[in-house]
């Protein structure tokens, strides 16, 4: 959040966290997925093939629970239902509204697992509001003309300033 607010080197900064979800159909089943910032797909320049992307307010604590399905999940578990958007899935014991379906070729290798469900970071609750909480893996898209070295130096500077402002709860994680 601090990098988003203070950085000038990036078009966008977002984050993700691997997460397994419990899907409730006839029986409970673990399904691999991720919690992501609302701008995660736009940062990757990916658009849902059905429905819509996340909206910024959906990543805030207390937001309505929404989910994007992988194309494979949609085809195999929802029978490719063109009317799936707007329906609910029971995920982790709560109803999540399906807002979209990802492209068939969507892969995010950094997650190191298949991704069948994407939901927002809203489920992380107050963890996201705690300064220095290392909940998400950050991801950014550099502005044209900005080098990796420049961006790294800028983030290190921002982190250093934050560490001085909040020494008890800030961890400098720039490598």
């Amino acid at each position: 959040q601090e990098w988003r607010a203070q950085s000038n080197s990036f078009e966008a900064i977002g984050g993700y966290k691997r997460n397994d979800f419990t899907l409730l159909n006839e029986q409970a089943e673990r399904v691999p997925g991720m919690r992501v910032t609302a701008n995660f797909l736009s940062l990757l320049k990916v658009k849902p093939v059905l429905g819509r992307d996340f909206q910024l307010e959906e990543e805030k604590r207390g937001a309505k629970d929404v989910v994007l399905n992988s194309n494979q999940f949609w085809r195999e578990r929802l029978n490719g239902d063109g009317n799936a958007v707007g329906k609910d899935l029971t995920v982790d014991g709560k109803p999540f509204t399906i807002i979209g379906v990802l492209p068939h070729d969507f892969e995010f290798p950094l997650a190191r697992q298949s991704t069948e469900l994407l939901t927002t970071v809203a489920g992380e609750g107050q963890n996201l509001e705690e300064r220095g909480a290392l909940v998400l893996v950050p991801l950014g898209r550099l502005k044209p003309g900005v080098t990796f070295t420049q961006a790294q130096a800028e983030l290190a500077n921002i982190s250093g300033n934050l560490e001085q402002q909040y020494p008890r709860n800030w961890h400098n994680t720039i490598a």
Side-chain angles (χ1 to χ4, degrees):
Q1 291 171 347
E2 297 286 356
W3 289 342
R4 270 185 185 176
Q6 297 183 40
S7 173
N8 294 312
S9 297
F10 294 87
E11 287 179 10
I13 296 176
Y16 69 95
K17 174 186 177 190
R18 288 176 35 185
N19 202 102
D20 285 341
F21 300 100
T22 301
L23 180 66
L24 212 52
N25 279 331
E26 290 98 41
Q27 57 187 12
E29 173 187 2
R30 296 300 286 169
V31 177
M34 292 191 298
R35 292 190 183 278
V36 299
T37 55
N39 68 338
F40 178 78
L41 290 178
S42 63
L43 193 147
L44 297 174
K45 301 201 183 264
V46 172
K47 293 182 180 180
V49 293
L50 187 65
R52 65 169 177 85
D53 197 351
F54 295 117
Q55 297 172 348
L56 185 58
E57 59 270 9
E58 291 170 334
E59 77 174 35
K60 295 184 170 59
R61 187 164 50 144
K64 182 173 173 29
D65 292 317
V66 292
V67 65
L68 283 158
N69 303 135
S70 74
N71 204 282
Q72 181 176 347
F73 182 95
W74 173 67
R75 281 184 282 112
E76 293 177 4
R77 297 173 187 243
L78 302 175
N79 299 316
D81 181 1
N83 295 314
V85 172
K87 293 183 178 176
D88 285 345
L89 284 178
T90 302
V91 179
D92 291 344
K94 301 185 297 186
F96 276 65
T97 302
I98 300 169
I99 62 166
V101 177
L102 297 167
H104 76 282
D105 59 350
F106 175 77
E107 274 187 41
F108 189 67
L110 295 177
R112 296 188 210 140
Q113 69 178 21
S114 66
T115 302
E116 294 188 38
L117 302 176
L118 283 184
T119 189
T120 68
V121 295
E124 291 298 316
Q126 70 184 45
N127 288 340
L128 293 175
E129 298 163 10
E130 292 181 25
R131 190 171 301 282
L134 302 175
V135 176
L136 301 177
V137 177
L139 186 67
R141 178 176 293 281
L142 293 176
K143 286 182 177 175
V146 175
T147 67
F148 177 78
T149 303
Q150 290 168 323
Q152 188 177 35
E154 181 187 54
L155 293 179
N157 185 48
I158 292 168
S159 294
N161 290 339
L162 290 168
E163 188 174 22
Q164 288 179 356
Q165 285 179 293
Y166 308 100
R168 291 179 31 193
N169 55 9
W170 185 261
H171 306 285
N172 189 340
T173 60
I174 300 295

